[in-house]
Amino acid sequence: MEQRISLVTLGVADLARAKAFYAALGWRGTEVEETVFHQAGGLALVLWDRRKLAADCGLPDAPQAGFGGIALAHNVRTDAEVDTVLDAAAKAGGTVSRPAALNAIGFYSGVFTDPDGHAWEVAHNPGFTLAEDGSLVLPDFGGRAVSSGGRPASAGGR
């Protein structure tokens, strides 16, 4: 499997509400057959009915209370942008679950949830370079590369 994510699909309870929320944050999408597609750099963020998504995955739609085990991240270029995005999310109907502050690692970030409870961290981490097109360039962490399963990667696998 190539190291790539093509689509991130968020299961939503009310497609119109979710579409309006992301539009209020400046996201522009295309609705096709009750599914909204947003181009997001090299991948797509998709909004789709939660029940249909669960069925498509062959899973029961049994929402759990609280954290669902995944968080999306949106990196920005300044601390002020973190505040701006969190404010916009709150005004659009999201909930700021962690106000912006210096986090334990030492960079400025905060978290909001969309109307369906999907968590988004908004962060300004000067160690993570954002290219002009907004794509993230990871730094050299100085660690050793690992393959799946945590084993060191071969020279050809890096």
Side-chain angles (χ1 to χ4, degrees):
M1 178 175 182
E2 294 178 30
Q3 189 167 311
R4 161 179 33 85
I5 296 174
S6 304
L7 301 167
V8 172
T9 304
L10 301 179
V12 300
D14 180 332
L15 186 63
R17 178 186 69 183
K19 182 179 173 182
F21 174 79
Y22 285 96
L25 293 180
W27 288 66
R28 298 296 168 246
T30 301
E31 187 170 347
V32 179
E33 298 180 16
E34 300 177 355
T35 306
V36 180
F37 294 85
H38 300 88
Q39 187 68 54
L43 63 85
L45 178 75
V46 182
L47 306 174
W48 194 23
D49 180 272
R50 180 183 173 93
R51 293 171 309 228
K52 291 177 183 177
L53 178 58
D56 190 59
C57 292
L59 298 168
D61 183 15
Q64 57 187 20
F67 183 59
I70 188 169
L72 303 169
H74 177 75
N75 282 45
V76 295
R77 291 176 175 82
T78 67
D79 290 357
E81 281 184 87
V82 172
D83 296 327
T84 298
V85 172
L86 291 174
D87 288 343
K91 288 177 183 166
T95 301
V96 175
S97 58
R98 183 170 57 79
L102 282 179
N103 63 26
I105 303 170
F107 61 87
Y108 194 70
S109 70
V111 177
F112 72 85
T113 58
D114 72 7
D116 288 281
H118 299 293
W120 283 83
E121 179 185 37
V122 182
H124 171 231
N125 181 343
F128 282 13
T129 302
L130 289 180
E132 189 173 318
D133 68 357
S135 60
L136 179 73
V137 179
L138 290 175
D140 178 358
F141 292 109
R144 62 183 180 153
V146 294
S147 65
S148 62
R151 296 180 306 275
S154 66
R158 293 182 204 188

